[in-house]
């Protein structure tokens, strides 16, 4: 199976949806931040491994605690995934912290600052006039 095949894309989407439901509704670990979202999932073509990129709204401590909580719940998550999705193999899940949303928000703030500074000092006018 090719990496970008339609089947693989469907499996990635389904695993992402089910993982989000499991994290949101079934895990009772207090370390896991309620503002945790599954950004993307990439299941290997052989269905043996899976990378799940997660995003957590909060400070660094909340992110670390959420990652620790998810790693300790990997067995439970894998069992629930196997019950919900009928795959030949249930993949081993590796959780990776995704910084793209935080990076995007940070860049948006910087762009807003530049626009505000540019509005105060337009480039078309000379300071000497």
């Amino acid at each position: 199976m090719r990496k970008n095949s339609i089947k693989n894309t469907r499996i990635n989407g389904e695993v992402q949806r089910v993982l989000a439901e499991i994290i949101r509704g079934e895990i009772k670990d207090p370390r896991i931040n309620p503002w945790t979202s599954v950004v993307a999932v990439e299941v290997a073509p052989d269905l043996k491994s899976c990378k799940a990129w997660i995003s957590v709204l909060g400070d660094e401590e909340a992110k670390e605690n959420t990652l620790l909580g998810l790693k300790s719940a990997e067995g439970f998550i894998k069992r629930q995934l196997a019950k919900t999705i009928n795959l030949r193999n249930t993949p081993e899940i590796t959780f990776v912290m995704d910084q793209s949303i935080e990076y995007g928000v940070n860049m948006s703030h910087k762009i807003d600052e530049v626009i505000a500074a540019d509005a105060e000092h337009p480039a078309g006018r000379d300071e000497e006039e």
Side-chain angles (χ1 to χ4, degrees):
M1 177 167 54
R2 292 184 329 266
K3 186 174 183 178
N4 294 331
S5 71
I6 294 171
K7 180 180 177 185
N8 197 275
T9 303
R10 277 199 334 250
I11 290 172
N12 288 344
E14 188 65 14
V15 170
Q16 180 178 354
R17 184 186 65 77
V18 172
L19 265 180
E21 287 176 6
I22 293 170
I23 291 171
R24 187 177 336 114
E26 298 181 29
I27 298 178
K28 304 296 183 220
D29 193 329
R31 294 178 291 183
I32 297 175
N33 191 316
W35 295 99
T36 301
S37 59
V38 181
V39 178
V41 170
E42 186 177 301
V43 179
D46 64 356
L47 306 176
K48 299 243 190 229
S49 63
C50 166
K51 269 189 180 180
W53 284 271
I54 60 163
S55 177
V56 178
L57 189 65
D59 59 354
E60 286 299 316
E61 184 181 352
K63 292 176 184 178
E64 289 173 17
N65 286 339
T66 298
L67 212 50
L68 288 173
L70 288 172
K71 286 184 187 208
S72 71
E74 275 180 2
F76 173 78
I77 293 171
K78 186 175 176 179
R79 257 191 327 275
Q80 294 303 104
L81 196 63
K83 284 181 188 176
T84 309
I85 300 177
N86 186 18
L87 294 173
R88 188 174 350 121
N89 297 315
T90 304
E92 290 291 328
I93 304 166
T94 305
F95 292 101
V96 180
M97 191 59 67
D98 182 49
Q99 305 291 345
S100 64
I101 295 174
E102 184 178 331
Y103 177 78
V105 169
N106 189 20
M107 289 306 291
S108 179
H109 287 304
K110 288 182 179 182
I111 290 170
D112 291 343
E113 289 172 8
V114 169
I115 290 172
D118 193 40
E120 291 176 12
H121 304 290
R125 293 190 214 159
D126 289 335
E127 295 292 327
E128 297 172 5
E129 289 183 352

